[in-house]
Amino acid sequence: MLIKSQTEYKLKSPPEDAISSVKFGPNTNQFLLVSSWDGSVRLYDVMANTLRHKYSHDNPVLDCCFTDAVHSYSGGLDNTLKSLDFNTTTETSVGTHNNAIRCVEYCSEVNGILTGSWDHHLKLWDPRTPMCSGNYNQGDKVYTMSVCGEKLVVGTAGRKILVWDIRNMSYTLQKRESNLKYQTRAIRCFPNKQGFVLSSIEGRVAVEYLDTSPEVQKKKYAFKCHRIKEDGLERIYPVNAISFHPTHNTFATGGSDGYVNIWDGFNKKRLCQFHQYHTSVTSLSFSHNGSVLAIACSYFLEEETLPNPMPEDAIYIRTVTDQETKPKA
Amino acid sequence: MVICKFFLQGNCRFGENCKFEHQINDGRQQHSSVLRQQNFNVNTNPQTNTGSTIDTNTLIRAVINDSTTAEKGGQWLLSCYAPFKEKPNFPGFEEQSFEEIRWGYYNAQHLGTVDQYKQQLQMSLQSAVMKLRSLQNPSPEVINTITGIYNSAPNASPINNQVVSSNFNNTPLNTFGNNQNSVFSNQSNSTYGQTSNFGTANVFNQQQNSAAKSIFATANQKLFGNIPSQQNSIFGNNEAVSSNTFGNPNHFGQPPSSFAQQQQQAGMTNFGTAPQSNSFFNAQPNGTPPFNIQPQNGTLPFVKQNQSESPFGVQPNDPQFNNQTQHNSPFFSTQPNMTMFNTQQTNNLPFNSFGIQQQSNIFPQQQQQQPNTPFVTQENSQISTPLGNGTNVFVRNTQSLDSSTSASHSNSIFGSGQTTIINNDINFVKDESIYSKLEDLNEEDIKSYQGAVFEFGKIPEKPPTIEMCF
């Protein structure tokens, strides 16, 4: 079929404004949840390239996630966490924060949804009821979050990182500072739960470990990426998105330079770089088996003068091969 | 093990028999006064302070490099900046994420205030550029901040920290004089995160050796102006110490509870919630002594009223306590059950001097001893008061018997805690109301006061008359 032979194609009926987040469904290569600044949350069937469901918030949506194949949660600038049941297409407002919800993540071990907000708090929600089962102060605006197993890594303003054990939220496991000098943009945890990858606005990515013993901490490092040298001047771009390949422990990063790179964190090598996209890459998501990568491209405010014409917002579905994502032994 | 403060000064009278550890503390100069180092936060060559061989120039060059590449590379300007690894952020940078700016635009469009928003944004960006440029051509003030940051205690090593929402941001005073009128005034002041906090996340775990941040240096001078050259004044004694205590205003803001609990309450960070900490920090840019805030606020330790909180459990009208102007009351008025000090690294905290560390010791001991007089007797003229000459606990233990501060070593009534530092030059304001009238005292009391020594069991509960004291 035509779709399968192409390595990369664009999704039809993309959002009408910047895309904030794309997430593949658990256990599927087929369904992709997309949240956007047009206020909508869309569910796509990427294989058939159709839009399956769409629901709206009153304000731009900043993040979304699946809890299972049938339920999705999303939150954004309306401060509200909403849930959609795809089977019954019922929308529910689950709860609110005092300020915008910046990240929504699901932890399967605890069966809880976590939302991080600019009101400095992290809330834990029980999907069954659904209701808020905890409210935790992170100390500063929450910018990014990632769940790995039972642990949660939160990146806030001021370059702070908090590590929590979701099963026991009465205290933070770790409080640390980012290895990088500038604002944290994204954090994602390694699937093997050994550590996490952190990216900043300064075209740099750091690989850090959760184990606090000094021998392990020595292994942490950072590298520059997503920078473009033009005429001897190095332009620095923020690294907006990170996504891990579920099995290889390699990760893809997407920056405002329009490139997507795939890295091997343990061997400190870049495995692959895709062609340059027409505008910034704002979000990435590997599918459940790692064979497909969703790449969301939207212009995201780098320059003071907006480009004219505005680049369109698009989601590319790219089939990735082992060669591109597997560590070279 | 607790390092002996006098040893560090080069002058410990116990020598080898000293109860505390005589050891050079990682890089500190052995012979220069610890106090002087910490009071001395400006124009200090980092080499002498930390013993490290990093030249200030290298530090500056690193910062200049960072800022130039950032500006040239078109880097996002509204970001925090930490020049060195595992050290605090540079103060004064406003931090906004892309989403927040974009949201601002959308909001403005909705409200029809786009131009205004654009202007504000421009201003923010301009000020960010100015700051960046000032880093490229650092003024002496900036250089000092840079070295201050470099020399401050590392705070990024991941600590398995079950304790508290402690201080994230321990940057020194805002050298940029950052304002609150950013575009995003509705968003919780990001500058909070940057204005000084003076303590680090490792307050409890590590030796605190942050250079005294200027506000405390000045504040201390103002408050303790009557202790002009006293290096031993309680607050001047150890800037880091005061920074410790200030570093955790939330501890004072809450009923003393275990730290785990504090964390859990999810409302109490240093900045976010405890109201006293808010105003505490607000006071900073003006350089007003933080102690002067909220005198009614019983939770700020330094400003507490004397009543019934004195660790000596003495009558509230004790002249010594009341005579002192408010800033001296801190000596006596910390909440006795502050678990915080029990866990804190013992750095001669002023409060420790009153045995708060072993606070369970204080009260029983006091009942046996003359509670109020120790503080009276430092002035020479006072030595003839009931406690009598030389029997004063403190006098006995002091290292220097001059009329300036007497610091008693561990044998004080305050238990095996830290040195006791009494400020002799207490500003006695002759407030008549705190003294009793002669008619109020019964005969026994009068006899006790007039006698040479207080007898156990016959210590008067009413304060002496003013004539008895002066």
Side-chain angles (χ1 to χ4, degrees), chain A residues 17 120 143 158-159 172 183 236, chain B residues 73 89 95 100 106 161 188:
Chain A
D17 203 339
H120 300 206
Y143 281 163
R159 295 167 49 252
T172 42
Q183 184 185 114
I236 297 174
Chain B
N89 291 341
E95 183 164 19
E100 290 167 285
Y106 278 49
N161 191 0
S188 58

Side-chain angles (χ1 to χ4, degrees), chain B residues 73-88:
Chain B
Q75 192 175 294
W76 181 240
L77 294 165
L78 300 175
S79 159
C80 56
Y81 170 53
F84 314 112
K85 262 196 197 174
E86 300 186 4
K87 297 285 157 98

Side-chain angles (χ1 to χ4, degrees), chain A residues 93-286:
Chain A
S93 256
V94 179
T96 58
H97 272 262
N98 292 334
N99 202 336
I101 294 177
R102 176 67 184 88
C103 350
V104 182
E105 295 287 334
Y106 173 66
C107 174
S108 49
E109 294 218 2
V110 163
N111 194 20
I113 296 122
L114 297 135
T115 50
S117 159
W118 291 342
D119 71 354
H120 300 206
H121 285 76
L122 174 77
K123 283 192 181 177
L124 180 62
W125 308 83
D126 182 350
R128 292 166 299 183
T129 22
M131 55 158 266
C132 178
S133 49
N135 188 3
Y136 312 98
N137 195 329
Q138 307 301 298
D140 210 334
K141 301 178 275 196
V142 176
Y143 281 163
T144 177
M145 246 165 49
S146 177
V147 173
C148 76
E150 78 287 357
K151 292 211 177 85
L152 173 73
V153 183
V154 179
T156 68
R159 295 167 49 252
K160 300 290 180 281
I161 298 171
L162 293 94
V163 182
W164 298 82
D165 180 342
I166 307 175
R167 298 167 302 186
N168 179 3
M169 295 287 283
S170 58
Y171 63 93
T172 42
L173 287 180
Q174 291 177 34
K175 263 195 218 313
R176 51 209 280 182
E177 284 211 350
S178 148
N179 216 5
L180 305 176
K181 295 180 183 173
Y182 294 91
Q183 184 185 114
T184 307
R185 191 84 183 103
I187 291 182
R188 286 288 179 270
C189 295
F190 277 89
N192 64 12
K193 305 179 192 174
Q194 278 187 16
F196 57 91
V197 169
L198 200 161
S199 71
S200 78
I201 52 131
E202 186 229 356
R204 218 180 276 260
V205 168
V207 172
E208 303 212 28
Y209 293 90
L210 285 174
D211 185 347
T212 51
S213 66
E215 320 84 65
V216 177
Q217 285 302 308
K218 273 196 212 147
K219 295 194 279 177
K220 71 180 179 186
Y221 66 96
F223 58 93
K224 288 194 250 189
C225 54
H226 296 282
R227 297 185 179 198
I228 299 179
K229 257 209 160 92
E230 326 168 320
D231 308 322
L233 178 67
E234 194 180 42
R235 278 229 56 179
I236 297 174
Y237 292 94
V239 183
N240 300 317
I242 305 172
S243 179
F244 270 91
H245 189 283
T247 47
H248 293 157
N249 277 301
T250 52
F251 58 96
T253 57
S256 292
D257 56 350
Y259 283 101
V260 175
N261 296 306
I262 304 196
W263 310 86
D264 177 356
F266 297 113
N267 295 323
K268 305 189 187 175
K269 285 192 172 25
R270 183 169 72 180
L271 297 170
C272 172
Q273 181 182 67
F274 300 158
H275 69 87
Q276 190 177 23
Y277 291 89
H278 64 287
T279 183
S280 316
V281 175
T282 55
S283 186
L284 293 169
S285 178
F286 269 102

